[in-house]
């Protein structure tokens, strides 16, 4: 993969309309990328999964094990297995991270509690940790499922509730259970779209909104550093 080929486009697999690239989209544009979205369950995902450049797999409220109800997951997982085997540049966020873990043979399952809201991560002291910029930074968590760490994975971050918050496979594959892409302006869409889940979990919408105002801007700034680090260390053939 040449640099000119890699720099052309970022392909993005989206599972839920309002969970988009968020702040990552501006970062990619500023770095000279174009962005192309693929809607899971609607579009043919094979161009994104076969792509030699960077593909980002975003979050969503379904589980990787719900293939009977969402049969498109079967093909998505099969394509992702081949992509990861070929070590093609891939970032997974929330459901995207769970899909990566599952495709690598790790167990993905319902966690012991929902993790929704803002908190800091424990960033692991590993060499060239791409998440180093998130030290002492509040990030957004929004998941009920969790995963075991795949074999040969490097654990990058943990939270107080779930130990496996982020991992990498080499320099080209990055899986993030948490949401680093959220923006201050877009958060209201999450509060509307996830209202049933929020109320079922007994959480305060005004408090989530206030926390977003307090933390999102700093997260946006540090997210750019995470992506720049990831891109700078990609192994290009």
């Amino acid at each position: 993969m040449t640099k000119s080929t890699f720099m052309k486009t970022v392909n993005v697999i989206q599972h839920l309309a309002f969970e988009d690239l968020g702040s990552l989209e501006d970062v990619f544009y500023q770095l000279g990328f174009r962005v192309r979205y693929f809607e899971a369950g609607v579009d043919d995902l094979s161009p994104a999964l076969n792509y030699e450049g960077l593909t980002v797999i975003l979050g969503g409220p379904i589980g990787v094990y719900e293939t009977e109800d969402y049969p498109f997951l079967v093909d998505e997982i099969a394509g992702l297995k081949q992509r990861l085997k070929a070590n093609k540049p891939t970032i997974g966020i929330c459901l995207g991270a769970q899909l990566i873990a599952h495709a690598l043979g790790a167990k993905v399952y319902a966690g012991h509690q929902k993790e929704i809201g803002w908190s800091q991560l424990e960033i692991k002291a590993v060499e060239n940790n791409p998440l180093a910029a998130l030290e002492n930074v509040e990030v957004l968590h929004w998941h009920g499922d969790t995963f075991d760490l795949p074999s040969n994975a490097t654990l990058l971050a943990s939270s107080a509730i779930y130990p496996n918050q982020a991992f990498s496979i080499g320099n080209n594959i990055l899986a993030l259970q948490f949401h680093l892409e959220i923006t201050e302006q877009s958060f209201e869409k999450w509060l509307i779209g996830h209202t049933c889940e929020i109320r079922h979990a007994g959480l305060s919408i005004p408090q989530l909104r206030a926390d977003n105002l307090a933390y999102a801007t700093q997260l946006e700034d540090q997210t750019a550093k995470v992506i720049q680090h990831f891109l700078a260390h990609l192994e290009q053939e």
Side-chain angles (χ1 to χ4, degrees):
M1 175 173 57
T2 66
K3 185 175 182 181
S4 60
T5 300
F6 176 74
M7 289 297 291
K8 186 176 180 182
T9 301
V10 174
N11 284 340
V12 182
I13 296 175
Q14 189 172 25
H15 296 91
L16 189 62
F18 61 81
E19 290 195 25
D20 54 25
L21 273 180
S23 66
L24 300 184
E25 192 154 344
D26 283 342
V27 174
F28 287 133
Y29 287 150
Q30 290 165 11
L31 294 174
F33 291 88
R34 297 196 300 268
V35 172
R36 180 184 180 189
Y37 280 95
F38 293 79
E39 298 291 340
V42 178
D43 297 331
D44 177 10
L45 303 183
S46 58
L49 292 170
N50 294 332
Y51 183 51
E52 294 295 328
L54 176 60
T55 290
V56 181
I57 306 171
L58 296 175
I62 62 177
V64 302
Y65 42 79
E66 295 184 280
T67 53
E68 185 174 339
D69 289 333
Y70 302 99
F72 71 84
L73 285 170
V74 174
D75 289 337
E76 184 173 4
I77 292 166
L80 182 56
K81 286 180 179 179
Q82 294 304 309
R83 179 175 186 82
L84 300 178
K85 184 178 181 180
N87 197 35
K88 295 177 180 178
T90 308
I91 297 175
I93 298 175
C94 199
L95 173 60
Q98 295 161 12
L99 285 163
I100 289 175
H102 178 74
L104 291 171
K107 182 181 178 182
V108 180
Y109 49 96
H112 61 277
Q113 71 176 84
K114 293 275 190 180
E115 187 174 31
I116 300 175
W118 295 80
S119 70
Q120 295 184 12
L121 298 166
E122 176 194 343
I123 305 299
K124 302 301 182 181
V126 299
E127 186 177 0
N128 287 324
N129 191 328
L131 305 184
L134 298 181
E135 187 78 49
N136 300 318
V137 174
E138 304 279 338
V139 303
L140 179 65
H141 304 273
W142 208 297
H143 68 104
D145 286 353
T146 188
F147 49 79
D148 292 338
L149 194 66
S151 60
N152 301 322
T154 299
L155 182 64
L156 302 177
S158 301
S159 73
I161 297 177
Y162 288 105
N164 297 329
Q165 281 288 341
F167 66 84
S168 61
I169 302 289
N171 290 329
N172 286 10
I173 299 165
L174 180 63
L176 310 174
Q177 177 66 85
F178 60 94
H179 292 273
L180 83 169
E181 80 279 13
I182 195 68
T183 68
E184 181 180 321
Q185 285 187 318
S186 68
F187 189 63
E188 197 68 24
K189 295 189 295 184
W190 289 55
L191 297 179
I192 297 168
H194 289 305
T195 181
C196 293
E197 185 178 27
I198 295 169
R199 297 187 189 283
H200 188 264
L203 300 172
S204 165
I205 289 176
Q207 185 60 57
L208 288 168
R209 184 181 291 117
D211 288 345
N212 171 66
L213 291 174
Y215 303 131
T217 299
Q218 183 188 17
L219 178 58
E220 289 178 45
D221 292 341
Q222 299 307 105
T223 289
K225 298 177 183 178
V226 171
I227 294 304
Q228 289 165 357
H229 183 285
F230 176 76
L231 295 174
H233 289 80
L234 281 176
E235 298 168 1
Q236 301 182 19
E237 298 178 358

